[in-house]
Amino acid sequence: LLAGHKLQARPTDPNRQIDWGQLLVSCINLHIFYVNANRMADASLWLKTAEDLFEKTDTDPDQIVRDRLWIGFLLAQGRARDAWRIARSVLEKAAALADEAGDDVLLLLGNAGRTAIAVGEFEAARRAFALLVQLCEDRNSPDLLVSSLGYEAVALFRLGKFDDGVEMLSRLVREERELRAMIERPLHQFGFSGSHETLYDNLIAALHDSTRLRVLFDAIQSCKAFAIGRAAPRLASTHEVSATLAPESVFLEFDHHGNAGRCLLIRPGDENPELIELNADYDTVLAAAVDFERRMRWARLALSDAPFDSLDGVATTVLHPVLSRLGAETQRLLVAPAGAAARLP
């Protein structure tokens, strides 16, 4: 990107004029790259450079692209209230913007809607994403449709409209399956999942705060399956899982979304899972897993069980809260781990 920008700014052909429009696109791409890399000082530099070029080229007269970039930049820094100052005015004129309905308008409305969720303006978010769903359907934009359905479901759950939210969530899963069926390469499946990780975080966090634990279980399965690149996962309901368990068994569905750990426990015959909140920081679990793998390489040579001793700390936060809920009749655990915990024994 930097090399491309250099060529745009200083053409090597003496007969070639600077294409200011392409130079602006190059600056925007560099800004987005540095935002995604969490290098905010560099991102700020390229955004300000792009601002100057917007003025120079007299493009973006309605500030649609600039507002989109600034809202995304502020959200990435955790400055949701600052982003809301821009997003609120965008949502107030959403109906007028919808008449233009270009890609930049769709992305702008999406950023404004996410900001509304971040600051607790859930009704404003619901209206924004309901409009976006309609626009995406009209324009046949399946990728943006999937995220819009997900964020509308988040807003509905936060508003306490659970039946509507469940319907939206079911539609999200159907649309995502159809979209992923068109993605052939596993690497692209992972890339698609990465771009929706923030959406998954918001969905799970919204359901975690509700009492609809069966829906939470379904959502966690969907998020996990898509995250590991499954285009058409086979999802089991709470009833299906509990009906297959032997009397002495329990099923443990671990999850870590929204920077919070949780486990859903299902016993034989259960209609609803039991939610166990875990005080397990993701980075701590990851560090324990990496340390365990390093110790295991040496332990295989020394025939030592010392690596397992190193797991006492993480077991206190990940496993002990779950074991304390089990009775003496439980003899077998069926474990579905999540994230870094999948690397623990």
Side-chain angles (χ1 to χ4, degrees):
L1 286 171
L2 286 168
H5 177 268
K6 183 178 179 180
L7 285 173
Q8 292 288 351
R10 292 187 290 277
T12 54
D13 184 347
N15 298 318
R16 181 182 166 198
Q17 300 295 315
I18 293 176
D19 186 333
W20 295 105
Q22 285 300 314
L23 189 62
L24 172 59
V25 171
S26 180
C27 291
I28 292 173
N29 286 336
L30 281 161
H31 163 72
I32 294 172
F33 171 82
Y34 284 119
V35 168
N36 292 335
N38 199 31
R39 291 171 57 177
M40 296 305 169
D42 291 320
S44 177
L45 171 66
W46 288 108
L47 181 54
K48 290 174 181 175
T49 305
E51 285 263 27
D52 294 339
L53 288 173
F54 276 121
E55 298 296 332
K56 183 180 184 67
T57 57
D58 196 27
T59 56
D60 194 36
D62 297 325
Q63 290 216 170
I64 290 172
V65 178
R66 276 174 281 189
D67 283 350
R68 170 173 69 86
L69 294 174
W70 271 108
I71 291 172
F73 181 47
L74 293 169
L75 282 178
Q77 298 176 83
R79 296 166 58 187
R81 283 290 166 191
D82 292 333
W84 179 239
R85 294 191 184 98
I86 305 172
R88 180 167 50 194
S89 63
V90 169
L91 296 181
E92 287 172 353
K93 57 184 179 182
L97 288 171
D99 293 336
E100 303 176 38
D103 288 344
D104 285 321
V105 169
L106 298 183
L107 293 170
L108 171 60
L109 290 174
N111 276 3
R114 289 195 299 115
T115 305
I117 288 175
V119 298
E121 297 287 345
F122 301 121
E123 179 56 31
R126 185 201 64 76
R127 291 195 301 268
F129 286 112
L131 175 60
L132 260 176
V133 167
Q134 179 184 337
L135 293 174
C136 289
E137 289 173 331
D138 293 343
R139 289 178 51 82
N140 191 26
S141 300
D143 190 359
L144 284 173
L145 176 61
V146 167
S147 60
S148 299
L149 288 167
Y151 281 113
E152 186 176 357
V154 171
L156 289 166
F157 287 135
R158 291 297 188 186
L159 288 167
K161 299 179 179 180
F162 292 107
D163 291 339
D164 292 338
V166 169
E167 181 180 344
M168 203 62 58
L169 180 60
S170 299
R171 189 177 168 198
L172 161 67
V173 173
R174 291 196 304 272
E175 294 288 347
E176 187 157 9
R177 282 174 185 261
E178 291 182 13
L179 181 56
R180 285 177 180 272
M182 297 185 284
I183 303 174
E184 296 181 359
R185 296 178 179 274
L187 184 60
H188 294 166
Q189 292 278 357
F190 288 121
F192 183 85
S193 297
S195 68
H196 285 78
E197 193 61 31
T198 302
L199 166 60
Y200 298 151
D201 282 345
N202 276 273
L203 268 173
I204 299 303
L207 283 165
H208 179 100
D209 295 337
S210 76
T211 57
R212 302 295 182 97
L213 297 183
R214 278 184 292 181
V215 181
L216 175 60
F217 179 71
D218 293 343
I220 287 174
Q221 283 197 81
S222 297
C223 293
K224 278 187 174 183
F226 290 137
I228 61 175
R230 294 285 178 86
R234 167 73 173 93
L235 306 179
S237 66
T238 302
H239 175 74
E240 288 176 299
V241 172
S242 65
T244 62
L245 291 174
E248 74 282 358
S249 300
V250 297
F251 181 82
L252 306 177
E253 179 79 68
F254 284 90
D255 175 70
H256 203 291
H257 276 92
N259 202 30
R262 59 191 63 84
C263 177
L264 290 173
L265 186 154
I266 301 178
R267 296 181 174 85
D270 275 355
E271 288 297 322
N272 287 293
E274 178 182 350
L275 175 62
I276 304 170
E277 298 189 24
L278 305 175
N279 185 27
D281 176 77
Y282 186 86
D283 291 337
T284 301
V285 176
L286 176 60
V290 171
D291 180 62
F292 173 76
E293 291 170 347
R294 180 181 61 81
R295 291 171 182 266
M296 274 298 291
R297 287 195 290 270
W298 292 104
R300 288 191 180 101
L301 298 174
L303 300 179
S304 166
D305 61 359
F308 293 91
D309 297 337
S310 70
L311 296 174
D312 288 347
V314 73
T316 301
T317 56
V318 174
L319 194 58
H320 292 176
V322 178
L323 297 180
S324 67
R325 304 286 188 94
L326 305 179
E329 72 281 0
T330 301
Q331 299 298 314
R332 187 179 184 209
L333 305 180
L334 301 177
V335 181
R343 299 165 64 175
L344 297 173

